[in-house]
Amino acid sequence: MPVHIAIPEPTSPRFVEDSAAYNLRSLPQYLHSLISAGATPIPIPLHESPQRIAKILSTCHGILLPGSPADIDPQKYGEARNPHSAAADAERAAVDELLLQDAFNLHKPILGICQGTQALNVWLGGDLIQDIPTQMGTTVDHSPGRAVLDAHPLQIAPNTRLAFIAGHCHPEIEHRHPAIVHRHPEIEHRHPEIEHRHPETVHRHAEIEHRHPEIEHRHPEIEHCHPERSEGSAFRAYVNSSHHQAIRTPGDKLVISARSPQDGVIEAVELASSDHFVLAVQWHPERSYNQSALSRGIFAAFVHSAESWMAAKLEESVIHA
């Protein structure tokens, strides 16, 4: 049985007029990364009712919170809006909160990316730097453009889940997986599983096709990547960057697992728990999946954790049958 990962649409029509085009441009890389790691993505339409979303989530084994063009409403962490902050996307925020509540109630694995990281942090009681350039005055460009793969260095804290992933991924698959047909701009994504299980949410995303029967790329491939070590036992790597906000204070039970070493901006957090996979990164590993062993390792570890969660639930159901 394939592991199902719930992922909300990045944005809604109320926030971006042509939200369908935006979602078709941004979703495929997330879907490609999940499929390549062995999972079946289940996109969550933002217009669905809470009841229908709950029904879909009942068949999902983990959640991925993607990036978004919106910012988190600063009122949620007790601040007035900075003039440089973008508006909030209320529909996306509502769905994120439903997914987070479900995942924390049931200990489902969570992967947050960019704005999804910020949503997780605020949901757990943390707060944000609303605009890095004006509030920090850093010389590091955290928004150099989508085409820049190595925007700035990343320093990964030792003895963290992220450090373990960084120390156990493969460097030799650095540019592409031959088995992976990576055509995300034209990928037509039909989700046969959704049509079978959720007839009320047949979600095709017209141009997205992701039937990769040849992909059997699973989590064991995260073996040995070894990013460069520096400053004691910390890891150094390079990541892309596409954000103007960042975590200021981590939320409840979140620990900092990576920073930008030049300015101290928090680049990753994770839950201080050995039995609940919650990892959130400020960069976009889905954009560098084919080029970066660390990116592949993050998705592989996330999917592996979701597989373990699913197996535990199946075992539990058998015991109580």
Side-chain angles (χ1 to χ4, degrees):
M1 178 181 175
V3 63
H4 288 181
I5 302 297
I7 175 171
E9 294 175 322
T11 193
S12 70
R14 291 186 183 180
F15 184 78
V16 175
E17 185 176 350
D18 195 1
S19 62
Y22 182 93
N23 292 336
L24 286 170
R25 186 171 66 251
S26 61
L27 258 182
Q29 290 174 312
Y30 295 102
L31 305 181
H32 162 74
S33 300
L34 288 169
I35 295 164
S36 300
T40 298
I42 307 295
I44 307 294
L46 301 184
H47 66 268
E48 292 288 7
S49 69
Q51 293 76 20
R52 287 188 175 182
I53 291 174
K55 185 175 181 180
I56 298 171
L57 288 177
S58 70
T59 67
C60 293
H61 315 107
I63 70 166
L64 190 159
L65 299 182
S68 165
D71 285 337
I72 305 299
D73 184 353
Q75 290 187 347
K76 291 180 180 291
Y77 49 94
E79 290 189 9
R81 185 178 303 282
N82 182 293
H84 297 278
S85 287
D89 185 339
E91 290 185 9
R92 167 66 194 275
V95 172
D96 281 358
E97 290 173 5
L98 288 173
L99 268 60
L100 284 167
Q101 189 67 65
D102 175 76
F104 273 94
N105 285 347
L106 299 174
H107 275 212
K108 292 180 182 179
I110 299 169
L111 177 61
I113 292 176
C114 199
Q115 196 252 28
T117 293
Q118 297 159 12
L120 167 72
N121 188 65
V122 171
W123 192 77
L124 287 172
D127 60 13
L128 305 176
I129 299 167
Q130 290 194 49
D131 188 59
I132 295 171
T134 59
Q135 292 184 295
M136 290 190 65
T138 178
T139 58
V140 178
D141 186 355
H142 287 274
S143 301
R146 295 173 62 92
V148 179
L149 292 179
D150 296 336
H152 62 73
L154 179 77
Q155 184 171 311
I156 302 173
N159 304 316
T160 58
R161 189 183 294 275
L162 184 59
F164 179 82
I165 293 170
H168 292 76
C169 50
H170 259 310
E172 60 263 27
I173 322 173
E174 205 50 49
H175 294 291
R176 66 174 63 85
H177 296 287
I180 296 174
V181 181
H182 185 51
R183 299 169 301 170
H184 54 265
E186 301 82 41
I187 303 176
E188 185 178 83
H189 176 190
R190 292 201 173 90
H191 293 308
E193 295 84 356
I194 298 178
E195 296 185 16
H196 175 67
R197 290 180 175 269
H198 308 296
E200 74 277 13
T201 59
V202 180
H203 189 55
R204 286 191 167 85
H205 283 303
E207 284 88 3
I208 312 174
E209 176 181 350
H210 81 64
R211 291 166 297 172
H212 295 292
E214 71 275 27
I215 296 176
E216 291 297 331
H217 177 58
R218 301 229 189 260
H219 55 271
E221 277 94 5
I222 55 168
E223 253 112 75
H224 292 290
C225 139
H226 301 304
E228 204 180 305
R229 288 176 183 262
S230 65
E231 297 187 20
S233 57
F235 287 95
R236 278 283 182 95
Y238 275 80
V239 292
N240 58 43
S241 193
S242 184
H243 64 104
H244 80 107
Q245 296 195 333
I247 293 172
R248 175 189 288 121
T249 308
D252 187 37
K253 296 183 180 178
L254 290 180
V255 296
I256 299 169
S257 47
R259 289 182 182 270
S260 165
Q262 295 164 301
D263 56 14
V265 166
I266 296 173
E267 290 285 338
V269 292
E270 57 189 62
L271 194 67
S273 171
S274 60
D275 61 356
H276 188 190
F277 183 105
V278 178
L279 175 63
V281 300
Q282 193 60 75
W283 67 96
H284 284 269
E286 83 286 357
R287 294 180 186 172
S288 56
Y289 187 90
N290 283 1
Q291 297 82 13
S292 166
L294 177 60
S295 296
R296 292 190 295 275
I298 288 170
F299 277 95
F302 170 55
V303 171
H304 173 50
S305 183
E307 289 173 338
S308 299
W309 185 91
M310 177 177 66
K313 287 298 176 183
L314 288 173
E315 182 179 353
E316 185 179 299
S317 65
V318 170
I319 290 173
H320 291 92

